[in-house]
Amino acid sequence: MKAKNSIVFIVLLSLFSCEKVLFEEDLATTNPHKNFEYLWNECNEKYTYFDLKNIDWDATKTKYAAKLYDDMSQDSLFNVLGAMLTELKDDHVNLISNFNISFFGTEYLGQDNFYGRLIEENYLKRSYYITRPFAHDFLDNEEIGYIRFASFTGTVNQTNLDFILNRYKDTKGLIFDLRENGGGAVTDIFKILSRFIEEKTLTNYSRIKNGPDHDDFSEAEPVYVTPHNGIRYTNKVIMLVDRGTYSAGSFTALATKAIPNIILMGDTTGGGLGLPNGGQLPNGWTYRFSITQALTLDKSPDYENGVPPDINVLFDWNDLTKDEVLERAILELQ
């Protein structure tokens, strides 16, 4: 199940103070023009990917301001503001009211690359293991371990990782399936990756929007993964991704570029490498958008448009007897 709107970024809690839960009474208004101006200005000063995405935010303002009128309904206003935000093409950008939520839908930028029932019926035993939040079993005469990780639920812990990695310790390799994983708890990323490295590893850099101009950022800070002091797996790992792999899934995919024994396979991820934060409009609706950038080892923000696989493989929907992506991963490990 995708979790495009459930991403949890604990780190932000220590970096940013939230806006007041309720707007000050003398500033509260349902006026469409004032709410539009407030939201546009907040994005203009704090959103992080205007330059990378070649977005003319001034032109966007002109386009959507023309759709406003004084006595428009709240539903109509929501449609205008929500459509304006989708111009950012970022599923960490949302407008939330008590009757609707706006989102872009990055997974639709590419074909669906995962069919869960096919894997369960054609590759796994009916008695496959569920070690929450992982589903897993042996493949290829027990020479390969397959691990399905559908969402970063925040429930990854040392007990479930110890059990899984001990079970597959004698395999030739692991297939770690992140397809259609829409993200979740960022803490899960480090717990998982710490099991596949032997030394402290620089995986990427991060910087924060810190001024009103579109290019105002803090200095890039390094992000490291430290090896777990316990059971680790050092054989080859194939990590499967697609356009539905978003947010924490994309962060994981980005980190694999720095880990030699992990190969990224499938389709380009959906991106979502900017951590979101937000506030409240004068009419009470809330919003969020990306306020940081995750950078590659050469300090480029380009992977916000999607982390490319090392080996590109697409699912063939004309043949539902096999999973081409999984088949290619098995071949790579034989």
Side-chain angles (χ1 to χ4, degrees):
M1 181 176 180
K2 297 183 181 179
K4 80 178 87 176
N5 291 311
S6 65
I7 187 81
V8 178
F9 290 111
I10 296 174
V11 67
L12 286 180
L13 297 180
S14 63
L15 297 175
F16 299 96
S17 60
C18 296
E19 296 193 13
K20 292 182 179 179
V21 175
L22 297 176
F23 234 74
E24 294 181 20
E25 188 172 345
D26 59 342
L27 298 179
T29 178
T30 59
N31 182 283
H33 301 281
K34 291 184 178 179
N35 280 278
F36 176 88
E37 286 288 336
Y38 187 92
L39 181 59
W40 185 90
N41 281 318
E42 284 290 292
C43 290
N44 186 55
E45 294 186 0
K46 298 175 183 177
Y47 183 66
T48 51
Y49 288 112
F50 288 118
D51 292 342
L52 177 65
K53 297 183 178 183
N54 296 314
I55 295 170
D56 187 335
W57 197 232
D58 290 316
T60 301
K61 180 179 184 179
T62 300
K63 174 182 175 181
Y64 287 95
K67 301 177 183 292
L68 301 175
Y69 50 95
D70 289 339
D71 59 347
M72 67 192 306
S73 68
Q74 290 295 283
D75 187 20
S76 296
L77 176 61
F78 184 95
N79 290 334
V80 172
L81 299 186
M84 180 177 71
L85 292 184
T86 61
E87 296 278 357
L88 300 177
K89 298 179 173 59
D90 184 339
D91 278 333
H92 280 160
V93 177
N94 307 104
L95 181 65
I96 303 102
S97 72
N98 60 355
F99 57 84
N100 202 1
I101 299 175
S102 71
F103 65 92
F104 173 65
T106 55
E107 70 267 32
Y108 299 114
L109 295 175
Q111 72 162 60
D112 195 348
N113 224 28
F114 177 77
Y115 183 20
R117 180 166 178 172
L118 186 152
I119 293 176
E120 291 186 10
E121 293 185 346
N122 292 15
Y123 293 91
L124 301 179
K125 300 172 185 176
R126 285 298 176 93
S127 57
Y128 66 84
Y129 278 58
I130 299 176
T131 306
R132 291 294 185 185
F134 305 97
H136 57 97
D137 209 344
F138 288 101
L139 299 177
D140 198 40
N141 297 318
E142 300 197 355
E143 293 190 339
I144 296 171
Y146 172 83
I147 303 169
R148 169 66 178 157
F149 187 53
S151 180
F152 289 80
T153 59
T155 57
V156 173
N157 58 44
Q158 307 311 335
T159 300
N160 51 49
L161 286 172
D162 280 350
F163 177 84
I164 291 169
L165 295 182
N166 186 62
R167 188 169 191 239
Y168 302 112
K169 65 181 185 299
D170 296 324
T171 56
K172 290 182 178 179
L174 293 179
I175 298 172
F176 200 88
D177 198 341
L178 281 178
R179 288 176 291 176
E180 291 197 353
N181 184 319
V186 70
T187 52
D188 286 350
I189 301 172
F190 297 94
K191 291 176 183 176
I192 292 169
L193 293 178
S194 70
R195 299 304 188 106
F196 300 126
I197 58 174
E198 290 295 287
E199 59 185 22
K200 185 177 179 180
T201 302
L202 173 65
T203 58
N204 63 283
Y205 290 86
S206 180
R207 62 182 183 178
I208 301 167
K209 189 75 165 60
N210 66 352
D213 293 337
H214 289 183
D215 59 355
D216 285 340
F217 288 95
S218 67
E219 291 296 318
E221 297 292 336
V223 178
Y224 292 93
V225 176
T226 302
H228 174 67
N229 185 23
I231 299 173
R232 298 192 299 274
Y233 188 91
T234 57
N235 288 347
K236 189 180 291 187
V237 177
I238 310 295
M239 189 166 288
L240 307 184
V241 294
D242 63 2
R243 277 294 185 179
T245 306
Y246 191 75
S247 194
S250 280
F251 275 101
T252 305
L254 169 61
T256 67
K257 300 295 186 178
I259 302 176
N261 59 314
I262 301 181
I263 296 174
L264 203 61
M265 184 179 293
D267 197 4
T268 301
T269 74
L273 295 176
L275 304 182
N277 194 34
Q280 187 178 48
L281 295 183
N283 68 355
W285 298 342
T286 56
Y287 60 87
R288 69 172 194 166
F289 46 74
S290 302
I291 58 171
T292 73
Q293 289 184 345
L295 310 175
T296 61
L297 292 179
D298 59 1
K299 298 185 179 179
S300 166
D302 289 354
Y303 282 175
E304 169 61 19
N305 290 323
V307 182
D310 302 312
I311 300 175
N312 188 270
V313 188
L314 295 179
F315 191 96
D316 182 1
W317 287 94
N318 294 313
D319 180 4
L320 297 184
T321 64
K322 63 180 179 180
D323 182 332
E324 286 76 14
V325 187
L326 185 56
E327 293 279 351
R328 180 64 179 81
I330 294 171
L331 181 64
E332 186 72 22
L333 294 175
Q334 289 176 335

